[in-house]
Amino acid sequence: MSDKLSEYQQGPQHNLTTSGGSSERATETVPAQAGQITASLRSAVYMPGLTWKDTICIQYLNGTSKEHAVFESALREIQKYVGIKFEFGRPSNGQPAQLRIEFNNGGTFESFLGKNALKCEAHKATMRLSPGKWDKATSESFIVHELMHFLAFEHEQASPNANIQWDVDRVLQDVKHKCGWNDEVIEANVLCKYDAKDVVASPFDPHSVMIYDIPSSWTLNGFSAQRNQCLSETDKLFLQKAYPRKRRGSSPL
């Protein structure tokens, strides 16, 4: 696959790269109606080898003050539950900011998966957002989802504990029609299931912000799920697990 971000959009240019069994970028394109089929990320499922250890520096590559404000509101929600620091500007060592954000008007929301962002060329975005197409609450929920990807969290339906009985032919048919994706992209973003040895995963959480809309017509047993606007309690607990706050008096690592 080509070296592109993952996306959440209708009719996406959805290209993924893989590394050690995981997509380097989590791409999603928001559908025309924000309650319908979406495609890309996962939640109380994270890649421990791709989590960040140091401060994450943030740089806007473009965007308006309104777009920046929507992002920062979503970021504050994440910051409630993680010990890692976020700072605006370049790192003190002169390296590029890890989280480089590009805003667009095409409905695309996409992000690299965790430290795979370090493989991106220094002048390119490691996250793309399109808050202008949606109301503030919906845009913030999409950005929270992308931030979870950047923190190495995957889609909930890809959890090794998600025993979803997919009607594969129906999924392929519907997603190809609605998003224009090929079988490879659909497999990576919708049907993929991780091995328990590769991820840290909670029991399956249908309330996670990282789950897709799954209509009952996509499953053989009538299972369905709705896309969630907010972090679930399990999402919050696993953010704390992946990025614990340092205890007072603890020795620096």
Side-chain angles (χ1 to χ4, degrees), residues 189-203:
N189 283 274
V190 183
L191 300 173
C192 169
K193 184 174 182 178
Y194 279 94
D195 192 298
K197 66 180 174 55
D198 296 325
V199 298
V200 176
S202 71

Side-chain angles (χ1 to χ4, degrees), residues 85-203:
K85 293 182 179 180
F86 293 86
E87 294 180 355
F88 286 88
R90 294 177 66 122
S92 57
N93 62 7
Q95 294 296 311
Q98 301 96 321
L99 179 48
R100 301 185 295 278
I101 303 171
E102 179 182 285
F103 294 90
N104 69 88
N105 296 318
T108 297
F109 287 76
E110 60 184 7
S111 173
F112 269 89
L113 182 64
K115 289 195 299 183
N116 279 327
L118 298 176
K119 301 177 182 180
C120 182
E121 295 177 63
H123 66 284
K124 292 185 177 180
T126 56
M127 181 180 289
R128 296 192 181 103
L129 306 171
S130 187
K133 286 199 68 169
W134 313 99
D135 62 82
K136 184 173 183 290
T138 300
S139 292
E140 285 188 15
S141 73
F142 289 146
I143 294 170
V144 166
H145 182 110
E146 297 304 330
L147 283 167
M148 292 285 280
H149 276 314
F150 197 80
L151 292 174
F153 281 75
E154 284 284 12
H155 289 136
E156 189 65 22
Q157 71 269 13
S159 169
N161 299 320
N163 295 313
I164 300 172
Q165 299 176 34
W166 296 105
D167 183 336
V168 176
D169 290 341
R170 180 62 183 271
V171 172
L172 293 174
Q173 175 184 315
D174 284 1
V175 179
K176 282 180 183 177
H177 175 70
K178 293 180 179 179
C179 293
W181 295 352
N182 61 33
D183 289 359
E184 185 180 23
V185 173
I186 297 170
E187 174 64 32
N189 283 274
V190 183
L191 300 173
C192 169
K193 184 174 182 178
Y194 279 94
D195 192 298
K197 66 180 174 55
D198 296 325
V199 298
V200 176
S202 71

